Amino acid sequence: MQLRLIAENLLGNALFYAPPDTTVEFSAEKSDGILRIRVRDYGPGVPDDTLDAIFTPFFRVDVSRSRKSGGVGLGLNLVQEACLALGGAVHAENVHPGLAVTVTLPAATEIPVIRRGES
């Protein structure tokens, strides 16, 4: 459930800010017990001095944006909280052009199987 929240929020933001006719890149790799998920767009990025603040609840880079056009500023905070709950972290960086957000999580050594009637 938390991985889905992370992926949906990161991809949703990237698609929203990606200019028309550009790509959004999504990658996931497991190495040395770490799962790395990276989402990159080719949009405007964010001011360098706000890179840490974008994970703060209700923070929005452009204060003139309305809720109708850009949300309330909770998506990246939810991503950060989900990462922390899973024992991981999230980091954003401007990649000129665009923004790249990388999530690092401990990789499961086994995939849990839940059968009907079990919880």
XYZ file of all heavy atoms in Angstrom:
892
model
N 0.820 -1.193 0.000
C 0.000 0.000 0.000
C 0.867 1.262 0.000
O 0.605 2.190 -0.732
C -0.935 -0.047 1.213
C -1.943 1.042 1.213
S -3.215 0.730 0.006
C -4.622 1.228 0.910
N 1.922 1.277 0.834
C 2.767 2.463 0.901
C 3.601 2.638 -0.365
O 3.830 3.760 -0.803
C 3.645 2.422 2.147
C 2.814 2.650 3.408
C 3.603 2.405 4.669
O 4.367 1.462 4.744
N 3.394 3.259 5.644
N 4.034 1.526 -0.968
C 4.765 1.638 -2.227
C 3.884 2.230 -3.319
O 4.340 3.018 -4.142
C 5.292 0.271 -2.668
C 6.596 -0.175 -2.043
C 6.945 -1.586 -2.489
C 7.720 0.774 -2.349
N 2.629 1.857 -3.310
C 1.695 2.408 -4.294
C 1.518 3.908 -4.073
O 1.525 4.680 -5.033
C 0.354 1.688 -4.192
C -0.645 2.182 -5.196
C -1.922 1.424 -5.115
N -2.844 1.919 -6.109
C -3.937 1.326 -6.470
N -4.268 0.174 -5.928
N -4.720 1.850 -7.373
N 1.380 4.332 -2.831
C 1.252 5.759 -2.515
C 2.484 6.511 -3.007
O 2.362 7.578 -3.626
C 1.086 5.949 -1.006
C 0.971 7.377 -0.505
C 0.039 7.439 0.692
C 2.316 7.949 -0.127
N 3.664 5.958 -2.767
C 4.906 6.593 -3.202
C 4.929 6.738 -4.723
O 5.147 7.823 -5.263
C 6.126 5.783 -2.699
C 6.250 5.912 -1.179
C 7.402 6.240 -3.388
C 7.221 4.926 -0.540
N 4.688 5.641 -5.424
C 4.740 5.663 -6.887
C 3.691 6.586 -7.484
O 3.988 7.368 -8.397
C 4.577 4.244 -7.433
N 2.460 6.525 -6.989
C 1.395 7.367 -7.540
C 1.676 8.846 -7.338
O 1.458 9.658 -8.243
C 0.045 6.994 -6.925
C -0.518 5.702 -7.471
C -1.860 5.334 -6.864
O -2.321 5.998 -5.912
O -2.450 4.352 -7.343
N 2.158 9.226 -6.162
C 2.449 10.639 -5.914
C 3.621 11.138 -6.744
O 3.555 12.220 -7.329
C 2.700 10.883 -4.421
C 1.418 11.098 -3.665
O 0.814 12.158 -3.740
N 0.983 10.081 -2.955
N 4.682 10.358 -6.813
C 5.843 10.800 -7.590
C 5.530 10.876 -9.076
O 5.885 11.848 -9.745
C 7.036 9.880 -7.333
C 7.626 9.924 -5.923
C 8.823 8.992 -5.822
C 7.994 11.339 -5.511
N 4.866 9.853 -9.597
C 4.513 9.874 -11.012
C 3.483 10.964 -11.322
O 3.574 11.642 -12.344
C 3.998 8.506 -11.454
C 5.076 7.443 -11.602
C 4.452 6.063 -11.766
C 6.002 7.760 -12.759
N 2.511 11.146 -10.431
C 1.513 12.195 -10.633
C 2.139 13.576 -10.699
O 1.818 14.386 -11.576
N 3.061 13.863 -9.782
C 3.752 15.157 -9.800
C 4.571 15.317 -11.080
O 4.545 16.368 -11.720
C 4.685 15.292 -8.593
C 3.978 15.733 -7.342
O 2.797 16.050 -7.354
N 4.701 15.738 -6.244
N 5.317 14.286 -11.431
C 6.168 14.372 -12.620
C 5.336 14.595 -13.874
O 5.678 15.435 -14.712
C 7.014 13.108 -12.754
N 4.229 13.884 -14.004
C 3.367 14.065 -15.173
C 2.735 15.448 -15.205
O 2.565 16.046 -16.264
C 2.292 12.976 -15.210
C 2.809 11.570 -15.507
C 1.732 10.535 -15.240
C 3.315 11.484 -16.941
N 2.393 15.973 -14.030
C 1.778 17.298 -13.954
C 2.753 18.383 -14.409
O 2.374 19.315 -15.111
C 1.303 17.580 -12.525
C 0.568 18.873 -12.380
C -0.778 18.956 -12.690
C 1.221 20.012 -11.934
C -1.467 20.157 -12.563
C 0.546 21.216 -11.812
C -0.800 21.291 -12.118
N 4.024 18.271 -14.012
C 4.995 19.321 -14.299
C 5.796 19.097 -15.570
O 6.520 19.982 -16.007
C 5.943 19.505 -13.105
C 5.217 20.113 -11.942
C 4.860 19.346 -10.845
C 4.833 21.447 -11.954
C 4.161 19.893 -9.785
C 4.135 22.003 -10.909
C 3.801 21.220 -9.821
O 3.092 21.771 -8.784
N 5.695 17.934 -16.168
C 6.420 17.673 -17.406
C 5.812 18.465 -18.551
O 4.598 18.428 -18.753
C 6.398 16.182 -17.730
N 6.621 19.182 -19.293
C 6.090 19.900 -20.456
C 5.530 18.918 -21.483
O 5.946 17.752 -21.531
C 7.321 20.617 -21.024
C 8.299 20.669 -19.906
C 8.050 19.432 -19.092
N 4.609 19.385 -22.315
C 4.084 18.521 -23.383
C 5.232 17.991 -24.245
O 6.254 18.660 -24.427
C 3.174 19.456 -24.196
C 2.848 20.578 -23.264
C 4.015 20.723 -22.343
N 5.059 16.805 -24.770
C 6.022 16.171 -25.669
C 7.373 15.887 -25.016
O 8.400 15.830 -25.692
C 6.221 17.011 -26.943
C 4.918 17.176 -27.719
O 4.138 16.202 -27.768
O 4.671 18.273 -28.240
N 7.385 15.738 -23.679
C 8.598 15.282 -23.001
C 8.271 13.976 -22.292
O 7.115 13.594 -22.182
C 9.120 16.307 -21.973
O 8.150 16.488 -20.935
C 9.440 17.636 -22.628
N 9.284 13.320 -21.814
C 9.073 12.050 -21.138
C 9.194 12.210 -19.627
O 9.768 13.175 -19.128
C 10.107 10.998 -21.591
O 11.409 11.479 -21.271
C 10.013 10.735 -23.078
N 8.621 11.251 -18.953
C 8.827 11.083 -17.518
C 9.510 9.738 -17.367
O 9.050 8.740 -17.912
C 7.483 11.122 -16.751
C 7.664 10.671 -15.315
C 6.872 12.520 -16.814
N 10.628 9.738 -16.665
C 11.386 8.503 -16.503
C 11.108 7.898 -15.131
O 11.096 8.606 -14.125
C 12.888 8.790 -16.631
C 13.268 9.332 -17.990
C 14.698 9.834 -18.045
O 15.430 9.743 -17.034
O 15.081 10.337 -19.110
N 10.878 6.585 -15.115
C 10.669 5.838 -13.879
C 11.617 4.654 -13.907
O 11.658 3.912 -14.886
C 9.218 5.343 -13.776
C 8.959 4.521 -12.551
C 8.506 5.104 -11.389
C 9.177 3.144 -12.561
C 8.267 4.345 -10.250
C 8.949 2.381 -11.428
C 8.499 2.984 -10.271
N 12.384 4.505 -12.843
C 13.251 3.331 -12.771
C 13.214 2.775 -11.356
O 12.984 3.501 -10.388
C 14.688 3.679 -13.168
O 15.255 4.603 -12.256
N 13.435 1.484 -11.259
C 13.520 0.808 -9.967
C 14.590 -0.260 -10.092
O 14.628 -0.998 -11.077
C 12.185 0.185 -9.591
N 15.474 -0.294 -9.100
C 16.508 -1.322 -9.099
C 16.789 -1.776 -7.677
O 16.654 -1.010 -6.731
C 17.796 -0.819 -9.755
C 18.485 0.283 -8.984
C 19.792 0.741 -9.623
O 20.085 0.333 -10.762
O 20.515 1.495 -8.972
N 17.134 -3.030 -7.576
C 17.474 -3.612 -6.272
C 18.939 -3.988 -6.316
O 19.389 -4.690 -7.229
C 16.614 -4.841 -6.006
C 16.907 -5.519 -4.693
C 16.040 -6.765 -4.534
C 16.474 -7.589 -3.348
N 15.742 -8.851 -3.238
N 19.687 -3.512 -5.327
C 21.107 -3.800 -5.263
C 21.571 -3.735 -3.816
O 21.236 -2.776 -3.098
C 21.881 -2.785 -6.116
O 23.265 -2.956 -5.982
N 22.329 -4.733 -3.401
C 22.896 -4.760 -2.049
C 21.847 -4.549 -0.956
O 22.076 -3.839 0.014
C 24.005 -3.709 -1.905
C 25.167 -3.950 -2.860
O 25.490 -5.132 -3.104
O 25.733 -2.966 -3.360
N 20.672 -5.146 -1.151
C 19.624 -5.061 -0.139
C 18.877 -3.745 -0.105
O 18.106 -3.480 0.818
N 19.085 -2.905 -1.118
C 18.416 -1.607 -1.190
C 17.603 -1.528 -2.475
O 18.089 -1.874 -3.554
C 19.442 -0.445 -1.174
C 20.290 -0.465 0.092
C 18.760 0.904 -1.349
C 19.534 -0.164 1.362
N 16.375 -1.072 -2.354
C 15.524 -0.793 -3.506
C 15.591 0.708 -3.771
O 15.333 1.503 -2.865
C 14.085 -1.222 -3.234
C 13.058 -0.836 -4.297
C 13.355 -1.554 -5.623
C 11.653 -1.143 -3.809
N 15.972 1.082 -4.992
C 16.024 2.479 -5.379
C 14.976 2.728 -6.454
O 14.986 2.073 -7.493
C 17.405 2.857 -5.913
C 18.443 2.987 -4.844
C 19.822 3.329 -5.420
N 20.818 3.270 -4.378
C 21.381 2.165 -3.919
N 21.024 0.999 -4.408
N 22.279 2.204 -2.955
N 14.118 3.698 -6.184
C 13.097 4.109 -7.144
C 13.410 5.556 -7.510
O 13.624 6.395 -6.628
C 11.686 4.012 -6.532
C 11.391 2.566 -6.131
C 10.638 4.568 -7.497
C 10.147 2.416 -5.283
N 13.440 5.833 -8.801
C 13.763 7.194 -9.251
C 12.735 7.632 -10.277
O 12.431 6.889 -11.219
C 15.157 7.244 -9.864
C 15.605 8.644 -10.257
C 17.069 8.605 -10.708
N 17.616 9.915 -10.922
C 17.784 10.490 -12.115
N 17.412 9.831 -13.213
N 18.314 11.686 -12.227
N 12.214 8.836 -10.085
C 11.277 9.435 -11.031
C 11.873 10.776 -11.440
O 12.241 11.588 -10.592
C 9.878 9.622 -10.411
C 8.949 10.323 -11.391
C 9.298 8.270 -9.997
N 11.967 10.988 -12.742
C 12.555 12.216 -13.258
C 11.657 12.803 -14.333
O 11.148 12.100 -15.206
C 13.929 11.910 -13.871
C 14.697 13.166 -14.281
C 14.959 13.248 -15.759
N 15.459 14.554 -16.136
C 16.667 14.789 -16.608
N 17.507 13.800 -16.770
N 17.013 16.018 -16.939
N 11.446 14.117 -14.247
C 10.718 14.815 -15.300
C 11.656 15.819 -15.954
O 12.781 16.012 -15.508
C 9.454 15.488 -14.759
C 9.740 16.615 -13.784
O 10.519 17.530 -14.108
O 9.165 16.589 -12.675
N 11.179 16.433 -17.023
C 11.958 17.445 -17.730
C 11.274 18.808 -17.626
O 11.343 19.622 -18.534
C 12.166 17.022 -19.188
C 13.135 15.873 -19.296
C 12.720 14.567 -19.109
C 14.481 16.109 -19.548
C 13.613 13.508 -19.180
C 15.384 15.057 -19.623
C 14.938 13.768 -19.437
O 15.836 12.724 -19.500
N 10.639 19.033 -16.495
C 9.952 20.288 -16.241
C 10.885 21.356 -15.703
O 12.106 21.270 -15.853
N 10.310 22.357 -15.023
C 11.099 23.493 -14.559
C 11.956 23.219 -13.321
O 12.800 24.035 -12.964
C 10.036 24.545 -14.237
C 8.822 23.744 -13.892
C 8.890 22.528 -14.785
N 11.755 22.076 -12.660
C 12.463 21.843 -11.399
C 11.898 22.759 -10.323
O 10.808 23.326 -10.478
N 12.632 22.917 -9.252
C 12.212 23.814 -8.168
C 13.402 24.676 -7.783
O 14.554 24.298 -8.031
C 11.699 23.028 -6.932
C 10.492 22.186 -7.293
C 12.783 22.164 -6.325
N 13.165 25.833 -7.185
C 14.304 26.634 -6.736
C 15.174 25.801 -5.779
O 14.657 25.073 -4.927
C 13.655 27.809 -6.013
C 12.288 27.918 -6.628
C 11.885 26.503 -6.938
N 16.494 25.903 -5.946
C 17.414 25.096 -5.136
C 17.187 25.254 -3.637
O 17.312 24.287 -2.888
C 18.874 25.443 -5.470
C 19.299 24.901 -6.824
O 18.726 23.882 -7.265
O 20.203 25.492 -7.432
N 16.815 26.447 -3.204
C 16.627 26.670 -1.769
C 15.332 26.072 -1.223
O 15.076 26.139 -0.034
C 16.727 28.153 -1.425
C 15.650 28.997 -2.091
O 15.048 28.540 -3.083
O 15.419 30.129 -1.623
N 14.530 25.454 -2.090
C 13.290 24.823 -1.629
C 13.333 23.299 -1.729
O 12.337 22.644 -1.431
C 12.064 25.331 -2.418
O 12.180 24.930 -3.785
C 11.911 26.841 -2.311
N 14.464 22.731 -2.127
C 14.538 21.279 -2.331
C 14.165 20.482 -1.089
O 13.500 19.458 -1.196
C 15.924 20.877 -2.827
C 16.155 21.133 -4.312
C 17.625 20.972 -4.657
C 15.297 20.228 -5.175
N 14.579 20.917 0.085
C 14.196 20.209 1.308
C 12.773 20.553 1.726
O 12.055 19.709 2.258
C 15.165 20.514 2.446
C 16.535 19.896 2.209
O 16.604 18.838 1.553
O 17.528 20.480 2.679
N 12.365 21.788 1.477
C 11.044 22.251 1.917
C 9.900 21.581 1.171
O 8.782 21.522 1.688
C 10.940 23.769 1.763
N 10.151 21.050 -0.020
C 9.046 20.447 -0.783
C 8.436 19.238 -0.089
O 7.342 18.808 -0.438
C 9.450 20.103 -2.231
C 10.557 19.055 -2.273
C 9.840 21.347 -2.998
C 10.913 18.565 -3.674
N 9.115 18.698 0.920
C 8.583 17.561 1.669
C 7.815 17.995 2.919
O 7.304 17.157 3.653
C 9.720 16.600 2.047
C 10.404 16.022 0.837
C 11.644 16.498 0.432
C 9.794 15.023 0.089
C 12.271 15.970 -0.690
C 10.411 14.497 -1.032
C 11.653 14.977 -1.423
N 7.712 19.300 3.140
C 6.999 19.856 4.287
C 5.505 19.890 3.983
O 5.117 20.276 2.873
C 7.496 21.295 4.570
O 8.902 21.258 4.765
C 6.817 21.894 5.781
N 4.642 19.523 4.958
C 3.203 19.563 4.693
C 2.740 20.953 4.272
O 3.155 21.955 4.852
C 2.567 19.175 6.028
C 3.647 18.540 6.832
C 4.944 19.073 6.315
N 1.914 20.995 3.264
C 1.270 22.189 2.730
C 2.227 23.148 2.033
O 1.839 24.241 1.658
C 0.466 22.930 3.808
C -0.551 22.053 4.483
C -0.374 21.646 5.787
C -1.656 21.599 3.785
C -1.292 20.821 6.412
C -2.586 20.763 4.385
C -2.406 20.374 5.707
N 3.483 22.753 1.834
C 4.422 23.622 1.121
C 4.147 23.532 -0.366
O 3.957 22.453 -0.916
C 5.872 23.213 1.391
C 6.852 24.077 0.653
C 7.231 25.299 1.189
C 7.364 23.701 -0.575
C 8.118 26.125 0.512
C 8.248 24.516 -1.266
C 8.628 25.727 -0.725
N 4.128 24.694 -0.998
C 3.959 24.757 -2.447
C 4.956 25.758 -2.985
O 5.115 26.846 -2.445
C 2.532 25.144 -2.791
C 1.588 24.020 -2.311
C 0.170 24.369 -2.339
N -0.205 24.770 -3.667
C -1.369 25.316 -3.938
N -2.240 25.487 -2.991
N -1.665 25.676 -5.153
N 5.648 25.397 -4.039
C 6.689 26.261 -4.586
C 6.107 27.579 -5.048
O 6.632 28.639 -4.740
C 7.434 25.552 -5.748
C 8.385 26.507 -6.438
C 8.179 24.337 -5.221
N 5.019 27.540 -5.774
C 4.400 28.754 -6.303
C 3.159 29.067 -5.492
O 2.138 28.409 -5.639
C 4.053 28.557 -7.773
C 3.470 29.795 -8.431
O 3.223 30.799 -7.727
O 3.261 29.766 -9.647
N 3.241 30.080 -4.644
C 2.116 30.396 -3.756
C 0.892 30.877 -4.501
O -0.207 30.886 -3.964
C 2.518 31.445 -2.689
C 3.571 30.882 -1.762
C 2.993 32.731 -3.337
N 1.055 31.274 -5.754
C -0.107 31.760 -6.505
C -0.938 30.628 -7.091
O -2.036 30.862 -7.572
C 0.350 32.687 -7.636
O 1.076 31.967 -8.606
N -0.413 29.387 -7.058
C -1.176 28.266 -7.613
C -2.400 28.007 -6.749
O -2.350 28.066 -5.535
C -0.317 27.008 -7.668
C 0.670 27.038 -8.782
C 1.477 25.779 -8.937
N 0.940 24.613 -8.298
C 1.691 23.703 -7.714
N 2.986 23.828 -7.669
N 1.148 22.636 -7.171
N -3.479 27.699 -7.389
C -4.701 27.382 -6.647
C -4.785 25.885 -6.420
O -4.102 25.107 -7.073
C -5.928 27.845 -7.440
O -6.081 27.058 -8.594
N -5.652 25.476 -5.504
C -5.860 24.048 -5.266
C -6.345 23.377 -6.540
O -6.012 22.236 -6.818
C -6.881 23.833 -4.154
C -6.349 24.178 -2.786
C -7.404 24.003 -1.751
N -7.646 22.585 -1.539
C -8.623 22.110 -0.788
N -9.437 22.924 -0.169
N -8.780 20.821 -0.628
N -7.121 24.115 -7.333
C -7.667 23.553 -8.560
C -6.555 23.179 -9.546
O -6.633 22.172 -10.229
C -8.611 24.566 -9.204
C -9.285 24.090 -10.461
C -10.231 25.143 -10.974
C -10.850 24.725 -12.287
N -11.715 25.763 -12.827
N -5.497 23.973 -9.570
C -4.454 23.724 -10.557
C -3.255 22.979 -10.012
O -2.427 22.513 -10.775
C -3.972 25.052 -11.156
O -3.325 25.821 -10.157
N -3.117 22.840 -8.686
C -1.889 22.238 -8.230
C -1.917 21.519 -6.905
O -0.875 21.261 -6.342
N -3.042 21.169 -6.370
C -3.086 20.424 -5.128
C -2.853 21.294 -3.903
O -2.756 22.517 -3.991
N -2.749 20.642 -2.756
C -2.631 21.381 -1.497
C -1.241 21.287 -0.879
O -0.983 21.847 0.170
C -3.685 20.919 -0.465
C -5.083 21.222 -0.962
C -3.527 19.453 -0.134
N -0.336 20.563 -1.499
C 1.013 20.472 -0.960
C 1.216 19.351 0.034
O 2.045 19.469 0.933
N 0.489 18.263 -0.119
C 0.655 17.132 0.799
C 1.307 15.912 0.159
O 1.824 15.055 0.860
C -0.704 16.710 1.371
C -1.287 17.621 2.430
C -2.678 17.156 2.829
C -0.383 17.683 3.646
N 1.311 15.828 -1.147
C 1.782 14.622 -1.824
C 3.199 14.221 -1.470
O 3.461 13.072 -1.117
N 4.136 15.146 -1.559
C 5.525 14.796 -1.263
C 5.751 14.548 0.218
O 6.609 13.754 0.596
C 6.477 15.866 -1.798
C 6.598 15.896 -3.318
C 7.493 17.051 -3.766
C 7.122 14.579 -3.864
N 4.956 15.193 1.069
C 5.051 14.891 2.499
C 4.573 13.468 2.759
O 5.183 12.739 3.556
C 4.250 15.893 3.322
C 4.280 15.552 4.797
O 3.298 15.069 5.350
N 5.420 15.768 5.423
N 3.514 13.056 2.082
C 3.034 11.675 2.225
C 4.081 10.680 1.727
O 4.270 9.619 2.327
C 1.714 11.489 1.477
C 0.514 12.252 2.047
C -0.685 12.133 1.112
C 0.180 11.747 3.428
N 4.765 11.028 0.650
C 5.845 10.174 0.141
C 6.934 10.040 1.201
O 7.394 8.936 1.500
C 6.430 10.742 -1.171
C 7.739 10.059 -1.537
C 5.426 10.611 -2.302
N 7.337 11.153 1.782
C 8.379 11.117 2.805
C 7.955 10.289 4.014
O 8.718 9.464 4.512
C 8.746 12.527 3.246
C 9.880 12.543 4.261
C 10.251 13.939 4.683
O 9.386 14.724 5.059
N 11.528 14.250 4.612
N 6.733 10.477 4.476
C 6.245 9.720 5.633
C 6.178 8.226 5.329
O 6.521 7.401 6.172
C 4.881 10.250 6.081
C 4.920 11.654 6.653
C 5.807 11.775 7.883
O 5.767 10.885 8.754
O 6.567 12.765 7.967
N 5.749 7.873 4.124
C 5.704 6.461 3.740
C 7.116 5.873 3.683
O 7.351 4.753 4.143
C 4.997 6.297 2.394
N 8.057 6.629 3.143
C 9.450 6.160 3.091
C 10.001 5.934 4.495
O 10.625 4.903 4.769
C 10.328 7.173 2.351
S 10.027 7.242 0.591
N 9.762 6.880 5.388
C 10.246 6.742 6.761
C 9.611 5.535 7.444
O 10.278 4.794 8.153
C 9.973 8.024 7.550
C 10.782 9.254 7.121
C 10.286 10.503 7.855
C 12.264 9.049 7.338
N 8.309 5.332 7.209
C 7.615 4.198 7.819
C 8.181 2.867 7.335
O 8.161 1.873 8.065
C 6.113 4.269 7.523
N 8.705 2.849 6.125
C 9.283 1.630 5.565
C 10.780 1.518 5.848
O 11.443 0.604 5.371
C 9.038 1.585 4.047
C 7.583 1.439 3.614
C 7.442 1.657 2.111
C 7.052 0.066 4.007
N 11.311 2.466 6.612
C 12.732 2.423 6.955
C 13.637 3.007 5.891
O 14.834 2.700 5.843
N 13.089 3.857 5.035
C 13.865 4.420 3.937
C 13.949 5.921 3.980
O 13.737 6.547 5.025
N 14.242 6.498 2.833
C 14.404 7.941 2.720
C 14.031 8.384 1.312
O 13.931 7.570 0.390
C 15.847 8.330 3.019
N 13.848 9.699 1.156
C 13.554 10.279 -0.151
C 14.415 11.520 -0.319
O 14.695 12.234 0.652
C 12.038 10.602 -0.303
C 11.564 11.598 0.731
C 11.714 11.080 -1.709
N 14.849 11.765 -1.555
C 15.738 12.883 -1.855
C 15.342 13.466 -3.206
O 15.058 12.721 -4.148
C 17.185 12.380 -1.900
C 18.162 13.397 -2.382
N 18.583 14.439 -1.597
C 18.791 13.532 -3.571
C 19.442 15.179 -2.283
N 19.580 14.645 -3.480
N 15.342 14.792 -3.306
C 15.028 15.461 -4.569
C 16.233 16.282 -5.017
O 16.966 16.833 -4.196
C 13.816 16.373 -4.406
N 16.414 16.335 -6.335
C 17.490 17.161 -6.883
C 17.079 17.712 -8.239
O 16.372 17.060 -9.007
C 18.786 16.365 -7.017
C 18.694 15.211 -7.988
C 19.978 14.398 -8.097
O 21.065 15.001 -8.106
O 19.872 13.168 -8.162
N 17.509 18.941 -8.512
C 17.330 19.512 -9.830
C 18.354 18.883 -10.757
O 19.519 18.719 -10.397
C 17.525 21.030 -9.786
C 16.344 21.731 -9.157
O 15.205 21.489 -9.538
N 16.601 22.603 -8.201
N 17.896 18.493 -11.953
C 18.786 17.831 -12.901
C 18.921 18.597 -14.211
O 19.564 18.120 -15.127
C 18.358 16.361 -13.138
C 18.677 15.512 -11.932
C 16.897 16.251 -13.493
N 18.350 19.739 -14.316
C 18.548 20.714 -15.409
C 18.495 20.107 -16.805
O 19.553 19.783 -17.350
C 19.840 21.467 -15.182
C 19.932 22.062 -13.813
N 19.179 23.137 -13.403
C 20.666 21.705 -12.734
C 19.455 23.428 -12.131
N 20.347 22.563 -11.705
N 17.392 19.951 -17.425
C 16.113 20.420 -16.905
C 15.429 19.340 -16.081
O 15.672 18.152 -16.268
C 15.309 20.703 -18.175
C 15.813 19.685 -19.158
C 17.284 19.509 -18.819
N 14.575 19.788 -15.211
C 13.715 18.876 -14.496
C 14.117 18.608 -13.066
O 15.081 19.160 -12.535
N 13.314 17.753 -12.477
C 13.491 17.344 -11.092
C 13.566 15.826 -11.057
O 12.812 15.147 -11.754
C 12.301 17.819 -10.243
C 12.381 17.555 -8.747
C 13.402 18.494 -8.100
C 11.018 17.751 -8.097
N 14.470 15.299 -10.251
C 14.562 13.857 -10.036
C 14.341 13.603 -8.553
O 14.927 14.276 -7.706
C 15.913 13.319 -10.471
N 13.474 12.662 -8.252
C 13.214 12.273 -6.870
C 13.606 10.808 -6.739
O 13.159 9.962 -7.516
C 11.738 12.489 -6.481
C 11.499 12.082 -5.040
C 11.331 13.956 -6.696
N 14.454 10.535 -5.757
C 14.939 9.176 -5.531
C 14.497 8.692 -4.163
O 14.691 9.376 -3.160
C 16.478 9.122 -5.623
O 16.876 9.628 -6.900
C 16.984 7.698 -5.449
N 13.908 7.517 -4.152
C 13.472 6.860 -2.921
C 14.402 5.676 -2.698
O 14.666 4.916 -3.631
C 12.007 6.383 -3.059
C 11.620 5.458 -1.926
C 11.070 7.572 -3.154
N 14.904 5.530 -1.487
C 15.694 4.349 -1.133
C 14.990 3.633 0.011
O 14.600 4.254 1.002
C 17.134 4.713 -0.719
O 17.102 5.672 0.321
C 17.905 5.273 -1.890
N 14.813 2.332 -0.166
C 14.113 1.508 0.818
C 14.876 0.207 1.028
O 15.503 -0.293 0.096
C 12.706 1.167 0.323
C 11.770 2.322 0.025
C 10.535 1.811 -0.711
C 11.370 3.022 1.305
N 14.788 -0.346 2.238
C 15.354 -1.678 2.406
C 14.566 -2.655 1.530
O 13.341 -2.627 1.521
C 15.150 -1.991 3.884
C 14.511 -0.799 4.508
C 14.183 0.180 3.438
N 15.276 -3.454 0.773
C 14.616 -4.410 -0.123
C 14.235 -5.653 0.669
O 15.006 -6.150 1.474
C 15.539 -4.779 -1.275
N 13.051 -6.143 0.424
C 12.602 -7.372 1.076
C 13.396 -8.543 0.510
O 13.627 -8.628 -0.691
C 11.109 -7.580 0.839
N 13.806 -9.427 1.381
C 14.527 -10.607 0.908
C 13.557 -11.666 0.410
O 13.896 -12.481 -0.417
C 15.407 -11.196 2.027
O 14.596 -11.457 3.164
C 16.517 -10.234 2.382
N 12.334 -11.634 0.933
C 11.298 -12.545 0.481
C 10.026 -11.754 0.253
O 9.756 -10.784 0.945
C 11.022 -13.623 1.537
C 12.183 -14.553 1.773
C 11.836 -15.616 2.811
O 10.654 -16.002 2.903
O 12.743 -16.031 3.522
N 9.252 -12.190 -0.697
C 7.969 -11.546 -0.947
C 6.933 -12.251 -0.076
O 6.747 -13.466 -0.195
C 7.573 -11.636 -2.429
C 8.619 -10.908 -3.269
C 6.179 -11.073 -2.650
C 8.437 -11.086 -4.753
N 6.277 -11.488 0.810
C 5.297 -12.140 1.672
C 4.083 -12.602 0.866
O 3.649 -11.932 -0.056
C 4.909 -11.056 2.656
C 5.284 -9.772 2.019
C 6.403 -10.081 1.075
N 3.587 -13.756 1.215
C 2.391 -14.303 0.559
C 1.282 -14.303 1.590
O 1.428 -14.843 2.691
C 2.649 -15.740 0.053
C 1.377 -16.320 -0.533
C 3.787 -15.738 -0.966
N 0.172 -13.685 1.217
C -0.987 -13.659 2.116
C -2.089 -14.475 1.452
O -2.465 -14.216 0.315
C -1.460 -12.219 2.387
C -0.352 -11.444 3.071
C -2.734 -12.234 3.245
C -0.655 -9.985 3.298
N -2.554 -15.471 2.162
C -3.619 -16.323 1.619
C -4.948 -15.867 2.166
O -5.028 -15.238 3.213
C -3.325 -17.772 2.010
C -2.083 -18.311 1.323
C -1.797 -19.741 1.734
N -0.670 -20.289 1.029
C 0.596 -20.072 1.338
N 0.898 -19.292 2.358
N 1.573 -20.615 0.641
N -5.996 -16.199 1.449
C -7.351 -15.841 1.902
C -7.558 -16.308 3.326
O -7.169 -17.412 3.693
C -8.402 -16.491 1.018
C -8.601 -15.741 -0.229
C -9.759 -16.333 -0.974
N -9.604 -15.881 -2.355
C -10.535 -15.916 -3.232
N -11.696 -16.415 -2.923
N -10.325 -15.469 -4.427
N -8.176 -15.435 4.104
C -8.470 -15.769 5.488
C -7.327 -15.456 6.440
O -7.497 -15.539 7.640
N -6.154 -15.105 5.903
C -5.018 -14.723 6.739
C -4.896 -13.219 6.732
O -5.274 -12.555 5.782
C -3.721 -15.340 6.220
C -3.683 -16.833 6.281
C -2.355 -17.376 5.744
O -1.436 -16.587 5.513
O -2.264 -18.602 5.543
N -4.317 -12.696 7.788
C -4.044 -11.250 7.788
C -2.723 -10.949 8.406
O -2.022 -11.752 8.854
C -5.130 -10.490 8.503
O -5.382 -11.006 9.773
